[in-house]
Amino acid sequence: MSYIAPIRDMMFDLEHLAGLESISKLPGFEDATPDTAAAVLEECGKFNRDVIAPLNREGDLHPSAWADGKVTTTPGFKQAFRQFVDGGWQGLQHSAEFGGQGLPKSISAACTEMLNSANLSFALCPLLSDGAIEALLTAGTDAQKQRYIPRLISGEWTGTMNLTEPQAGSDLALVRSRAEPQGDGTYRLFGQKIYITYGEHDMADNIVHLVLARLPDAPAGVKGISLFIVLKVLEDGRRNDVWCASIEHKLGIKASPTAVLIYGDGKGEVGTGAIGELVGEANRGLEYMFIMMNAARYAVGLQGIAVAERAYQKAAAYAKDRVQSRPVDGSAAQSVSIVHHPDVRRMLMTMRALTEGCRALALVAASLHDVGRAHPDAGQRAAHEAAYEFLVPLVKGYSTEMSIEVASLGVQVHGGMGFIEETGAAQYYRDARILTIYEGTTAIQANDLVGRKTVRDGGALALHFAARVSKVEEALTATGDAQAVAMAGQLRQAREAYAQVVAFVAAHGKSDPNTVFAGSVPYLMLAGNLMAGWQMAQSWLATRDLPADEAAFAQAKRATAAFYCAHILPRCGGLRDAVLSGADSVMALPVEAF
Amino acid sequence: MSYIAPIRDMMFDLEHLAGLESISKLPGFEDATPDTAAAVLEECGKFNRDVIAPLNREGDLHPSAWADGKVTTTPGFKQAFRQFVDGGWQGLQHSAEFGGQGLPKSISAACTEMLNSANLSFALCPLLSDGAIEALLTAGTDAQKQRYIPRLISGEWTGTMNLTEPQAGSDLALVRSRAEPQGDGTYRLFGQKIYITYGEHDMADNIVHLVLARLPDAPAGVKGISLFIVLKVLEDGRRNDVWCASIEHKLGIKASPTAVLIYGDGKGEVGTGAIGELVGEANRGLEYMFIMMNAARYAVGLQGIAVAERAYQKAAAYAKDRVQSRPVDGSAAQSVSIVHHPDVRRMLMTMRALTEGCRALALVAASLHDVGRAHPDAGQRAAHEAAYEFLVPLVKGYSTEMSIEVASLGVQVHGGMGFIEETGAAQYYRDARILTIYEGTTAIQANDLVGRKTVRDGGALALHFAARVSKVEEALTATGDAQAVAMAGQLRQAREAYAQVVAFVAAHGKSDPNTVFAGSVPYLMLAGNLMAGWQMAQSWLATRDLPADEAAFAQAKRATAAFYCAHILPRCGGLRDAVLSGADSVMALPVEAF
């Protein structure tokens, strides 16, 4: 089966949770009305279904291939990328000043999800270009913005992020690549970078590498790293001294080339050392990279939702088709399609509830970013941006962890067929596995949640979210509806667990870091679970505003929300207990005993 | 790194949890003393480390290959299999009457774990021979036993289980293969079987297929299925009419050939129809298959533990080696190996605790089986066998579900390296994914737990286990040790959650099956979690009996047990809530809404 974009669900989230109507009243977003959004999503869904999705399995069977320093992408990718950029999809969220559409992040996020559902490997190329654009917008000069951004949006060029080195993964303080000033404002770069997504490919004429490297006089550690632009081919046509030594053989996202890049081998047409230019100020590279990474982290969260949605669609279709065994309740004398069996239903509901919950949270987060960017009031901007930043590690960490669970359930629903590669369910299980690792592992997200987002303000913002959740509990209780009242109780328990954990983290974060960081990932999982559940509960309430002809959608949304509260939220208690147990049992084993 | 068998941990379980000393006092097991066990395990560990483990990655890179109906296994497999059978490993648990060693299951289980840690794909061949031997012991005539079992033990021949057909997976009532009596006591078989592990290969001269098929006059459904033996090559040397049409391209266990077998194509040297013989009585095939499957299910549980152990060893070695980032507690000014970071420690402890807990439970289960077989008192035999059978779906279901979690954590510990196939961590993640599917999915195990093991006796046996758990709580509390008292509290909470669920399942199992089966897998996960935790708690108590020179082992075991209770047991509360929420939210969504 092909991929069908969940447009109805996305529009519901945008209109009823993310406040798209009010975003379209902000300066600069006047065109972003719900009608426009619906039209964009419709078009985007068709494009991804027809052009991008059919290349997904193809990419798994015929991955990008390396030969003599060049990478040939999966057959069809180059043409599809041309259609993608020509359709204006690369510029969706970027400013019209540089050739983009200037749509709010909330709308572009829905489109990004679709692209990733259709083809995770393909989507990484535009995602990295987005990252490069963000970095240039953050720290580039006007001339740099004018030179690079329009060509990244047109897809003439694509972008990369060059952070990792063999000895420097999560720990970028260990970066060793160096940049030597040439006295003419340019630099020569030397070093080896690994895990460079789309670091070499044949889908565009040129590649804009954004590279972390050290200047000769730079201080040690993270405060001595600068950001550089290195073009694969200089604008005068000379081949620069950056080379793809190999690409990795990976568990998943095989079509996406993961390059080892060597800077300064002397094999190009420019002498030895890749010619580059500084972005922003010297020694502030990591800071710029983090701004860009925030956007990329959010996008990886969308990838989690995207692969979960695709896995769900495939599993649901199979479960409705595959006939096996009689119903346990004796409601039929014959074998029935397996969707009728309670445990298959439980698996599908789990997949669906996690996916919808994470989508709702991600789109609400995007809307906070939109208000944070466009609101005329500076205080409102700051408050919304802070709320967005609080949610980014949850969107990234929780959505990607759940995507592995969902993709694994998708295999399970297929039974033996799920283990056969031809079926396709296994590809999602393999593809999803990178998402909790790249752009910062779940532990790195959790460090961010604990350190910058919780301990720094004593848990104030985290508890502000708890207060918002409790308002939803009140609203659910006030309906008097039995299902809603039950949900309110489940939400309350989860929220109280969260509040206990926030208090614990805020209290011990500085005095006893091991105690807090031993539970950082359980805290992230608890917080993500609760926030997605909060949005599902809010969805339940919002279904009451839907017109009569939406009754089927409303019923499905309420059922899924109720399932989330009954089956997913209860995990919070165990996570709370794990966090509150502290570091003792986590750190007790001596290193040599492992 | 190579595989190092966890012999110390296994011997601890056997001696202090599984009561090996008292098993060796039972008739027939006189040789199975702890000293013998230690010697066997030592030898087995060396053999698997040196001969079998090195072929694991090899099998992933060079899977079994099909051509013209023949399957060539991974280079080295054939020779290794010869060494395996010549070493007597195939006959470890089988009767000396047929050339085996007659050791108890508790010892052979430890050896089976090692073989599967070393190489899951390789281990499947002996596992299937074991299954065939069990089936013949259960239902074969003396002549059949004498004809087949010695040659299966010597490895001259290997065995298979032919159950699944394209339309008949979990639902064997749908089996269509047919057997036509020839009037001379033999039968001709026709039909297509799929997912036949080692259904064709080059590691032995002949294959004994155990095949489910229908006789012409058989009733419809499960009560019309008979069990047949079909040899690949008849004893007179003629090639029988059973053919391997293809093998599957799978997500994992790639070296293990998964065959499509066609019976009755007419291409052999015997005319049309594969010549076979009946095993046991007509129409009782499924019953025999289930007896054999119980053994196979237990063995698949061991596979889960095995792959988890291997994934843990690899991740622990990497974490001790990989240097990245300074400690969060400021205890070092330089970057340290990542094992020092609390979240890496949490992941490793989770892997370790789940693996040790499931191993302990599996070995205790095996010891119940041993007593159930060998005890002179019939009542004792029956009681122990019933206890074993209660635990089989937990050993199978929980150990395999946890193996996916552990293998996935193993990838995560490796960071980006984990996603690169060369590293090897990804192979465990792929291999483990079959374990919750074959020999009955987790849902099928859960159905067994709910139906035959809980509802049938009103939850009596399930609650008997709860009573045993509460004795351990008392013993922990009685120590007065702060850690033990905390563990007792955690165990009590989990046990109370379990008891609530058992009462719920027993009360509604017959009257409202959907309500119970909607929570059957959460019930299984809760029960497995508690039972493994019970054994870890028991282990904590048992460490007090260890001599002074075992202090390091004792300390590690206590730390791991404490971690299990603090971090893994708390999951039980959420599982309880999910079960008790019943079928409403699970079944609410109309089929067409998926």
Side-chain angles (χ1 to χ4, degrees), chain A residues 185-248:
Chain A
T186 68
Y187 297 80
R188 292 273 185 172
L189 276 85
F190 300 86
Q192 183 187 356
K193 293 288 182 179
I194 63 169
Y195 300 159
I196 310 306
T197 301
Y198 280 94
E200 174 60 30
H201 64 85
D202 58 358
M203 283 157 57
D205 296 338
N206 203 358
I207 300 175
V208 183
H209 299 295
L210 284 157
V211 189
L212 291 183
R214 290 184 185 280
L215 289 166
D217 55 352
V222 293
K223 293 190 174 151
I225 298 172
S226 304
L227 182 62
F228 298 87
I229 296 171
V230 174
L231 284 175
K232 173 181 164 185
V233 181
L234 297 180
E235 290 186 81
D236 60 16
R238 284 180 300 161
R239 182 66 168 80
N240 206 351
D241 195 18
V242 48
W243 303 98
C244 177
S246 61
I247 60 173
E248 308 289 353

Coordinates of all heavy atoms in Angstrom, one line a residue, chain A residues 185-248:
Chain A
G185 N 41.2 36.8 4.3 CA 39.8 36.7 4.8 C 39.3 35.2 4.6 O 38.2 34.9 5.1
T186 N 40.0 34.4 3.8 CA 39.6 33.0 3.7 C 40.5 32.1 4.6 O 41.5 32.6 5.2 CB 39.8 32.5 2.2 OG1 41.2 32.5 1.9 CG2 39.1 33.5 1.2
Y187 N 40.1 30.9 4.7 CA 40.7 29.9 5.5 C 41.0 28.6 4.8 O 40.3 28.4 3.8 CB 39.8 29.6 6.7 CG 39.6 30.8 7.6 CD1 38.6 31.8 7.2 CD2 40.3 31.0 8.8 CE1 38.4 32.9 8.0 CE2 40.1 32.2 9.6 CZ 39.1 33.1 9.2 OH 38.9 34.2 9.9
R188 N 42.0 27.9 5.2 CA 42.2 26.5 4.7 C 41.8 25.5 5.8 O 42.4 25.6 6.9 CB 43.6 26.3 4.3 CG 44.1 27.2 3.1 CD 43.8 26.4 1.8 NE 44.3 27.2 0.7 CZ 44.3 26.7 -0.6 NH1 43.9 25.5 -0.8 NH2 44.8 27.4 -1.5
L189 N 41.0 24.6 5.5 CA 40.5 23.6 6.5 C 41.2 22.2 6.3 O 41.3 21.8 5.2 CB 39.0 23.5 6.5 CG 38.3 24.5 7.3 CD1 38.1 25.8 6.5 CD2 37.0 24.0 7.9
F190 N 41.5 21.6 7.5 CA 42.1 20.3 7.5 C 41.5 19.5 8.6 O 41.2 19.9 9.7 CB 43.6 20.5 7.8 CG 44.4 21.3 6.9 CD1 44.4 22.7 7.0 CD2 45.1 20.7 5.8 CE1 45.1 23.5 6.2 CE2 45.8 21.5 4.9 CZ 45.8 22.9 5.1
G191 N 41.3 18.2 8.2 CA 40.7 17.3 9.3 C 39.8 16.3 8.7 O 39.6 16.2 7.4
Q192 N 39.3 15.4 9.5 CA 38.4 14.4 9.1 C 37.0 14.5 9.8 O 37.0 14.6 11.0 CB 39.0 13.0 9.4 CG 38.1 11.8 8.9 CD 38.6 10.5 9.4 OE1 39.7 10.4 10.0 NE2 37.9 9.4 9.1
K193 N 36.0 14.5 9.1 CA 34.6 14.5 9.6 C 33.9 13.2 9.3 O 34.0 12.7 8.2 CB 33.8 15.7 9.1 CG 34.4 17.0 9.5 CD 34.1 17.3 11.0 CE 34.6 18.7 11.4 NZ 34.3 19.0 12.8
I194 N 33.1 12.7 10.2 CA 32.4 11.4 10.0 C 30.9 11.7 10.2 O 30.5 12.6 10.8 CB 32.9 10.3 10.8 CG1 32.7 10.5 12.3 CG2 34.4 10.0 10.5 CD1 32.9 9.3 13.2
Y195 N 30.1 10.7 9.7 CA 28.7 10.7 9.9 C 28.1 12.0 9.2 O 27.1 12.6 9.8 CB 28.2 10.6 11.3 CG 28.7 9.4 12.1 CD1 28.8 9.4 13.4 CD2 29.0 8.2 11.4 CE1 29.2 8.2 14.1 CE2 29.4 7.1 12.0 CZ 29.5 7.1 13.4 OH 29.9 6.0 14.1
I196 N 28.6 12.3 8.1 CA 28.1 13.5 7.4 C 27.0 13.1 6.4 O 27.2 12.6 5.3 CB 29.2 14.3 6.7 CG1 30.4 14.5 7.6 CG2 28.6 15.6 6.1 CD1 30.0 15.2 8.9
T197 N 25.7 13.4 6.9 CA 24.6 13.0 6.1 C 24.5 13.8 4.8 O 24.6 15.1 4.8 CB 23.3 13.3 6.9 OG1 23.4 12.5 8.1 CG2 22.1 12.9 6.1
Y198 N 24.4 13.1 3.7 CA 24.4 13.8 2.3 C 25.7 14.6 2.2 O 25.7 15.7 1.5 CB 23.1 14.6 2.0 CG 22.0 13.7 1.6 CD1 21.1 13.2 2.5 CD2 21.9 13.3 0.3 CE1 20.0 12.3 2.1 CE2 20.8 12.4 -0.1 CZ 19.9 12.0 0.8 OH 18.9 11.1 0.4
G199 N 26.8 14.1 2.8 CA 28.1 14.8 2.6 C 28.6 14.7 1.2 O 29.5 15.5 0.9
E200 N 28.1 13.8 0.5 CA 28.5 13.7 -1.0 C 27.3 13.0 -1.7 O 26.7 12.1 -1.1 CB 29.8 12.9 -1.1 CG 30.2 12.6 -2.6 CD 30.5 13.9 -3.4 OE1 30.9 14.9 -2.8 OE2 30.2 13.9 -4.6
H201 N 26.9 13.6 -2.8 CA 25.8 13.0 -3.6 C 25.7 13.6 -4.9 O 26.5 14.5 -5.2 CB 24.5 13.2 -2.8 CG 24.1 14.6 -2.6 ND1 23.4 15.3 -3.6 CD2 24.3 15.5 -1.6 CE1 23.2 16.5 -3.2 NE2 23.8 16.7 -2.0
D202 N 24.8 13.1 -5.7 CA 24.6 13.6 -7.1 C 23.3 14.3 -7.4 O 22.9 14.4 -8.5 CB 24.8 12.4 -8.1 CG 23.8 11.3 -7.8 OD1 23.0 11.5 -6.9 OD2 23.8 10.3 -8.6
M203 N 22.6 14.7 -6.3 CA 21.3 15.3 -6.5 C 21.3 16.8 -6.7 O 20.3 17.4 -7.1 CB 20.4 15.0 -5.2 CG 19.9 13.5 -5.2 SD 19.5 12.9 -3.6 CE 18.3 14.0 -3.0
A204 N 22.4 17.4 -6.5 CA 22.5 18.9 -6.8 C 24.0 19.2 -7.3 O 24.9 18.3 -7.1 CB 22.2 19.7 -5.5
D205 N 24.1 20.3 -7.8 CA 25.4 20.7 -8.4 C 26.5 20.9 -7.4 O 27.7 20.8 -7.7 CB 25.3 22.0 -9.3 CG 24.3 21.7 -10.5 OD1 24.2 20.6 -10.9 OD2 23.8 22.7 -11.0
N206 N 26.1 21.4 -6.3 CA 27.1 21.8 -5.3 C 26.6 21.5 -3.9 O 25.4 21.4 -3.7 CB 27.4 23.3 -5.5 CG 28.8 23.6 -4.9 OD1 29.5 22.8 -4.4 ND2 29.2 24.9 -5.1
I207 N 27.6 21.5 -2.9 CA 27.2 21.3 -1.5 C 27.8 22.3 -0.7 O 29.0 22.6 -0.8 CB 27.7 19.9 -1.1 CG1 27.0 18.8 -1.9 CG2 27.4 19.6 0.4 CD1 27.5 17.4 -1.6
V208 N 27.0 22.9 0.2 CA 27.5 23.9 1.2 C 27.7 23.2 2.5 O 26.8 22.8 3.2 CB 26.4 25.0 1.4 CG1 27.0 26.1 2.4 CG2 26.0 25.6 0.1
H209 N 29.0 22.9 2.8 CA 29.3 22.3 4.1 C 29.5 23.3 5.2 O 30.3 24.3 5.0 CB 30.6 21.5 4.0 CG 30.6 20.4 3.0 ND1 29.8 19.3 3.1 CD2 31.3 20.3 1.8 CE1 30.1 18.5 2.0 NE2 30.9 19.1 1.2
L210 N 28.8 23.1 6.3 CA 29.0 24.0 7.5 C 29.8 23.2 8.4 O 29.4 22.1 8.9 CB 27.7 24.4 8.1 CG 27.0 25.5 7.2 CD1 25.6 25.6 7.4 CD2 27.7 26.9 7.5
V211 N 31.0 23.7 8.7 CA 32.1 22.8 9.3 C 32.5 23.5 10.6 O 32.9 24.7 10.7 CB 33.3 22.7 8.4 CG1 34.3 21.7 8.9 CG2 32.8 22.4 7.0
L212 N 32.6 22.6 11.7 CA 33.2 23.1 12.9 C 34.7 22.8 12.9 O 35.1 21.7 12.6 CB 32.6 22.3 14.1 CG 31.1 22.7 14.5 CD1 30.7 21.9 15.7 CD2 30.9 24.2 14.7
A213 N 35.5 23.8 13.2 CA 37.0 23.6 13.2 C 37.6 24.7 14.2 O 36.9 25.6 14.6 CB 37.5 23.8 11.8
R214 N 38.8 24.4 14.5 CA 39.5 25.3 15.4 C 40.5 26.2 14.7 O 41.3 25.8 13.8 CB 40.4 24.5 16.4 CG 39.6 23.7 17.4 CD 40.5 23.0 18.4 NE 39.6 22.2 19.2 CZ 38.9 22.6 20.2 NH1 39.0 23.9 20.5 NH2 38.2 21.8 20.9
L215 N 40.5 27.5 15.1 CA 41.5 28.4 14.6 C 42.8 28.2 15.4 O 42.8 27.6 16.5 CB 41.1 29.9 14.8 CG 39.9 30.3 13.9 CD1 39.3 31.6 14.4 CD2 40.4 30.4 12.5
P216 N 44.0 28.6 14.8 CA 45.3 28.3 15.4 C 45.4 28.8 16.8 O 46.0 28.1 17.7 CB 46.3 29.0 14.5 CG 45.6 29.2 13.2 CD 44.1 29.3 13.5
D217 N 44.8 30.0 17.1 CA 45.0 30.5 18.5 C 43.8 30.3 19.4 O 43.6 30.9 20.4 CB 45.2 32.0 18.3 CG 44.0 32.7 17.5 OD1 43.2 31.9 17.0 OD2 44.0 33.9 17.5
A218 N 43.0 29.3 19.0 CA 41.7 29.1 19.7 C 42.0 28.5 21.1 O 42.8 27.6 21.2 CB 40.8 28.2 18.9
P219 N 41.2 28.8 22.1 CA 41.3 28.1 23.4 C 40.8 26.7 23.2 O 40.1 26.3 22.3 CB 40.3 28.9 24.3 CG 39.5 29.8 23.4 CD 40.2 29.9 22.1
A220 N 41.3 25.9 24.2 CA 40.9 24.5 24.1 C 39.4 24.3 24.5 O 38.8 25.3 25.0 CB 41.7 23.7 25.2
G221 N 38.8 23.2 24.2 CA 37.4 22.9 24.6 C 36.4 23.6 23.7 O 36.7 24.0 22.6
V222 N 35.2 23.6 24.2 CA 34.0 24.1 23.4 C 34.1 25.5 23.0 O 33.5 26.0 22.0 CB 32.7 23.8 24.0 CG1 32.5 22.3 24.2 CG2 32.6 24.5 25.4
K223 N 34.9 26.3 23.7 CA 34.9 27.8 23.5 C 36.0 28.1 22.4 O 36.3 29.3 22.3 CB 35.1 28.5 24.8 CG 33.8 28.4 25.6 CD 33.7 29.3 26.8 CE 32.4 29.1 27.5 NZ 32.4 29.4 28.9
G224 N 36.5 27.1 21.8 CA 37.5 27.4 20.8 C 37.1 26.8 19.4 O 38.0 26.5 18.6
I225 N 35.9 26.7 19.2 CA 35.4 26.1 18.0 C 34.7 27.1 17.1 O 33.8 27.9 17.6 CB 34.5 24.9 18.3 CG1 35.3 23.8 19.0 CG2 33.9 24.3 17.0 CD1 34.4 22.7 19.5
S226 N 35.1 27.2 15.9 CA 34.4 28.2 15.0 C 33.7 27.5 13.9 O 33.9 26.3 13.6 CB 35.5 29.1 14.4 OG 36.3 29.7 15.4
L227 N 32.8 28.2 13.2 CA 32.0 27.7 12.2 C 32.4 28.2 10.8 O 32.6 29.4 10.7 CB 30.5 28.0 12.5 CG 29.5 27.5 11.5 CD1 29.4 26.0 11.5 CD2 28.1 28.0 11.8
F228 N 32.5 27.3 9.9 CA 33.0 27.7 8.5 C 32.1 27.2 7.4 O 31.4 26.2 7.6 CB 34.4 27.2 8.3 CG 35.4 27.7 9.2 CD1 35.7 27.1 10.5 CD2 36.1 28.9 8.9 CE1 36.6 27.6 11.3 CE2 37.1 29.4 9.8 CZ 37.3 28.8 11.0
I229 N 32.1 27.9 6.4 CA 31.4 27.5 5.1 C 32.5 26.9 4.2 O 33.5 27.6 4.0 CB 30.7 28.6 4.4 CG1 29.5 29.2 5.2 CG2 30.1 28.1 3.0 CD1 28.9 30.4 4.6
V230 N 32.3 25.7 3.7 CA 33.2 25.2 2.7 C 32.3 24.6 1.6 O 31.5 23.8 1.8 CB 34.0 24.0 3.3 CG1 34.9 23.4 2.2 CG2 35.0 24.5 4.4
L231 N 32.6 25.2 0.4 CA 31.8 24.7 -0.8 C 32.5 23.5 -1.4 O 33.8 23.5 -1.4 CB 31.7 25.8 -1.8 CG 30.7 26.9 -1.5 CD1 30.8 28.0 -2.6 CD2 29.3 26.3 -1.5
K232 N 31.8 22.5 -1.8 CA 32.4 21.4 -2.5 C 33.1 21.9 -3.8 O 34.2 21.6 -4.1 CB 31.3 20.4 -2.9 CG 31.7 19.3 -3.8 CD 30.5 18.4 -4.0 CE 30.7 17.4 -5.2 NZ 29.5 16.7 -5.6
V233 N 32.4 22.8 -4.5 CA 32.9 23.4 -5.7 C 32.9 24.9 -5.5 O 31.8 25.4 -5.2 CB 32.1 23.0 -7.0 CG1 32.7 23.6 -8.2 CG2 32.0 21.5 -7.1
L234 N 34.0 25.5 -5.7 CA 34.1 27.0 -5.5 C 33.3 27.6 -6.6 O 33.0 27.0 -7.7 CB 35.5 27.5 -5.6 CG 36.4 26.9 -4.4 CD1 37.8 27.5 -4.6 CD2 35.8 27.3 -3.1
E235 N 32.9 28.9 -6.4 CA 32.0 29.5 -7.3 C 32.7 29.8 -8.7 O 32.1 30.0 -9.7 CB 31.5 30.8 -6.7 CG 30.5 30.5 -5.6 CD 29.8 31.8 -5.1 OE1 28.8 32.2 -5.7 OE2 30.2 32.3 -4.0
D236 N 34.1 29.7 -8.7 CA 34.8 29.9 -9.9 C 34.9 28.5 -10.7 O 35.6 28.4 -11.7 CB 36.1 30.5 -9.7 CG 37.0 29.7 -8.8 OD1 36.7 28.5 -8.6 OD2 38.0 30.2 -8.3
G237 N 34.3 27.5 -10.1 CA 34.3 26.2 -10.8 C 35.3 25.2 -10.3 O 35.3 24.1 -10.7
R238 N 36.3 25.7 -9.5 CA 37.4 24.8 -9.1 C 36.9 23.8 -8.0 O 36.1 24.2 -7.1 CB 38.6 25.6 -8.5 CG 39.4 26.2 -9.6 CD 40.6 27.0 -9.0 NE 40.1 28.0 -8.0 CZ 40.8 28.6 -7.1 NH1 42.1 28.2 -6.9 NH2 40.3 29.5 -6.3
R239 N 37.3 22.6 -8.1 CA 36.9 21.6 -7.1 C 37.7 21.8 -5.9 O 39.0 21.9 -5.9 CB 37.2 20.2 -7.7 CG 36.9 19.0 -6.8 CD 35.3 18.9 -6.6 NE 34.9 17.7 -6.0 CZ 35.0 17.4 -4.7 NH1 35.4 18.4 -3.9 NH2 34.6 16.3 -4.2
N240 N 37.0 22.0 -4.7 CA 37.6 22.3 -3.5 C 38.3 21.1 -2.8 O 38.0 19.9 -3.3 CB 36.6 22.9 -2.5 CG 37.2 23.9 -1.5 OD1 38.4 23.9 -1.3 ND2 36.4 24.6 -0.7
D241 N 39.1 21.3 -1.8 CA 39.8 20.1 -1.3 C 39.1 19.4 -0.1 O 39.6 19.3 1.0 CB 41.2 20.7 -0.8 CG 42.2 19.5 -0.6 OD1 41.9 18.4 -1.1 OD2 43.2 19.8 0.1
V242 N 37.9 19.0 -0.4 CA 37.1 18.2 0.5 C 36.6 17.0 -0.2 O 36.0 17.1 -1.3 CB 35.9 19.0 1.2 CG1 35.1 19.8 0.1 CG2 35.0 18.1 2.0
W243 N 36.8 15.8 0.4 CA 36.6 14.6 -0.4 C 35.9 13.5 0.5 O 36.1 13.4 1.7 CB 38.0 14.0 -0.7 CG 38.8 14.9 -1.5 CD1 39.8 15.8 -1.1 CD2 38.6 15.2 -2.9 NE1 40.2 16.6 -2.1 CE2 39.5 16.3 -3.3 CE3 37.8 14.8 -3.9 CZ2 39.6 16.8 -4.6 CZ3 37.9 15.3 -5.2 CH2 38.8 16.3 -5.5
C244 N 35.1 12.8 -0.2 CA 34.3 11.7 0.4 C 35.2 10.4 0.3 O 35.3 9.9 -0.7 CB 33.0 11.5 -0.2 SG 32.0 10.2 0.5
A245 N 35.7 10.0 1.5 CA 36.5 8.8 1.5 C 35.8 7.5 1.5 O 36.2 6.5 1.0 CB 37.4 8.9 2.8
S246 N 34.6 7.6 2.0 CA 33.7 6.4 2.0 C 32.3 6.7 2.5 O 32.1 7.9 3.0 CB 34.3 5.3 2.9 OG 34.4 5.8 4.3
I247 N 31.4 5.8 2.4 CA 30.1 6.0 3.1 C 29.9 4.8 3.9 O 30.4 3.7 3.6 CB 28.9 6.3 2.1 CG1 28.7 5.2 1.1 CG2 29.2 7.6 1.4 CD1 27.5 5.3 0.2
E248 N 29.0 4.9 4.9 CA 28.8 3.8 5.9 C 27.8 2.8 5.4 O 26.8 3.2 4.7 CB 28.3 4.4 7.2 CG 29.2 5.5 7.8 CD 30.5 5.1 8.3 OE1 30.8 3.9 8.3 OE2 31.4 6.0 8.6

